[in-house]
């Protein structure tokens, strides 16, 4: 069961229910990565985009990571650009920043068209279950003439978590909602995952219960070290949340 304790839970659930038909001819094809082709990845710096990237790199060449920023501050996961640059160095994939949310930005269209002119054929996304968001990204790719690829689409959470372990994915719970505030700053391991499964939340964080910071992955050259300086309570348009102030390094 999914919790509706925060306004974000309600908002995301309504969005998931609002549009029930995926605007793509073959969901299986949507999950496939074109072999031996060049692609770019929409990359947030969290677990889902990291897992999708790892899967894509098995059979294709990812030439760039695209992160959405607002006033030079990465969106969605409260990361700073210093962390994003560290992840980029460890991945040995350059990162570029698109100003504004991907839903509204015209800048990201320009970036994608530029990469297409350089031989890129597809875009990797970390989407799992939001049909509305998936349809927006499918349309974005169609508008610029690229193939959308969502290797995590419609997979079970248990499959995804096992795949995370298989690929040495380590992530920090860097932003959490009130119902799991005691877990802020913790590593998402087996014990915490099992605890989340027993709670009345979406235990993979798909209803906005938490956001994560990617620290290690099978395709990282080096893990990201971290030191938590403080934990603080703040608020956004969806309500209260707890976040960490951390220092990251090689």
């Amino acid at each position: 069961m999914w919790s509706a304790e925060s306004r974000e839970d309600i908002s995301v659930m309504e969005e998931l229910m609002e549009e029930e038909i995926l605007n793509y001819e073959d969901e299986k094809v949507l999950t496939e990565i074109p072999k031996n082709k060049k692609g770019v990845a929409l990359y947030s710096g969290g677990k889902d985009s990291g897992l999708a990237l790892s899967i894509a790199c098995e059979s294709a060449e990812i030439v760039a990571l695209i992160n959405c920023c607002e006033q030079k501050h990465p969106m969605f996961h409260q990361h700073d650009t210093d962390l994003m640059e560290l992840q980029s160095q460890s991945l040995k994939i350059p990162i570029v920043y698109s100003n504004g949310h991907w839903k509204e930005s015209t800048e990201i269209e320009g970036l994608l068209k530029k990469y297409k002119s350089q031989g890129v054929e597809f875009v990797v996304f970390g989407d799992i279950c939001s049909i509305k968001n998936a349809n927006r990204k499918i349309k974005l790719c169609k508008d610029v003439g690229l193939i959308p690829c969502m290797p995590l689409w419609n997979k079970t959470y248990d499959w995804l978590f096992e795949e995370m372990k298989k690929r040495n994915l380590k992530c920090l719970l860097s932003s959490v909602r009130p119902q799991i505030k005691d877990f802020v700053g913790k590593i998402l391991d087996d014990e915490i995952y099992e605890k989340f499964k027993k709670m009345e939340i979406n235990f993979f964080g798909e209803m906005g219960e938490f956001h994560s910071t990617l620290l290690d992955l099978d395709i990282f050259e080096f893990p990201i070290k971290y030191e938590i300086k403080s934990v603080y309570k703040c608020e956004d348009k969806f309500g209260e949340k707890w976040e960490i102030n951390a220092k990251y390094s090689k």
Side-chain angles (χ1 to χ4, degrees):
M1 181 183 294
W2 293 341
S3 169
E5 290 182 17
S6 72
R7 280 178 287 163
E8 183 172 33
D9 293 334
I10 297 169
S11 173
V12 177
M13 288 176 71
E14 287 176 346
E15 185 171 275
L16 286 171
M17 295 167 62
E18 185 175 329
E19 193 168 1
E20 298 180 355
I21 300 173
L22 189 70
N23 294 331
Y24 205 73
E25 60 275 10
D26 190 331
E27 286 193 32
K28 185 177 183 298
V29 171
L30 183 66
T31 66
E32 294 174 351
I33 303 296
K35 291 184 178 180
N36 303 315
K37 302 294 184 181
K38 290 183 178 181
V40 295
L42 192 65
Y43 181 78
S44 68
K47 65 175 174 54
D48 297 347
S49 62
L51 183 57
L53 179 64
S54 172
I55 293 171
C57 286
E58 283 186 335
S59 57
E61 180 186 358
I62 304 301
V63 301
L65 311 171
I66 299 176
N67 180 262
C68 294
C69 281
E70 189 171 40
Q71 296 180 343
K72 299 185 178 179
H73 184 81
M75 301 174 74
F76 309 121
H77 291 247
Q78 307 305 318
H79 300 154
D80 58 27
T81 51
D82 289 344
L83 171 64
M84 303 301 293
E85 294 296 333
L86 268 178
Q87 291 179 342
S88 171
Q89 289 174 34
S90 189
L91 288 163
K92 290 193 171 180
I93 303 174
I95 188 166
V96 296
Y97 302 95
S98 173
N99 187 48
H101 199 294
W102 59 266
K103 292 180 183 178
E104 302 145 358
S105 173
T106 55
E107 187 172 313
I108 195 168
E109 290 188 16
L111 271 174
L112 292 175
K113 288 177 181 177
K114 182 192 79 170
Y115 282 114
K116 184 186 178 185
S117 72
Q118 297 172 358
V120 161
E121 297 185 32
F122 67 94
V123 185
V124 178
F125 302 102
D127 292 68
I128 297 172
C129 62
S130 172
I131 293 177
K132 188 168 186 177
N133 279 341
N135 280 339
R136 285 169 171 160
K137 291 171 182 175
I138 289 167
K139 182 180 184 303
L140 172 64
C141 288
K142 183 178 180 181
D143 289 346
V144 298
L146 293 173
I147 300 168
C149 297
M150 301 179 185
L152 312 186
W153 184 255
N154 219 15
K155 298 291 193 296
T156 68
Y157 295 150
D158 283 347
W159 184 92
L160 292 167
F161 192 69
E162 287 302 314
E163 199 69 13
M164 284 169 54
K165 293 193 290 183
K166 171 185 168 183
R167 296 174 185 275
N168 194 39
L169 192 155
K170 181 179 179 182
C171 65
L172 189 66
L173 300 176
S174 48
S175 177
V176 306
R177 292 295 171 182
Q179 61 268 48
I180 55 169
K181 64 182 180 181
D182 293 341
F183 296 96
V184 68
K186 306 293 185 183
I187 298 294
L188 182 58
D189 58 14
D190 290 83
E191 181 180 356
I192 289 178
Y193 182 68
E194 290 302 320
K195 286 182 179 178
F196 284 177
K197 287 174 71 173
K198 295 175 182 178
M199 300 172 69
E200 291 188 349
I201 64 170
N202 179 288
F203 48 86
F204 217 71
E206 289 300 292
M207 297 298 105
E209 289 87 349
F210 64 86
H211 291 298
S212 59
T213 296
L214 189 62
L215 299 174
D216 203 3
L217 192 60
D218 58 349
I219 53 175
F220 270 21
E221 289 290 318
F222 57 84
I224 308 296
K225 297 177 182 178
Y226 69 97
E227 179 184 356
I228 296 177
K229 297 294 187 179
S230 63
V231 175
Y232 60 95
K233 177 183 174 182
C234 54
E235 190 168 342
D236 60 15
K237 65 181 180 179
F238 300 118
E240 294 179 346
K241 59 181 176 177
W242 275 256
E243 296 186 343
I244 60 170
N245 174 26
K247 179 180 179 182
Y248 299 98
S249 61
K250 288 187 178 181

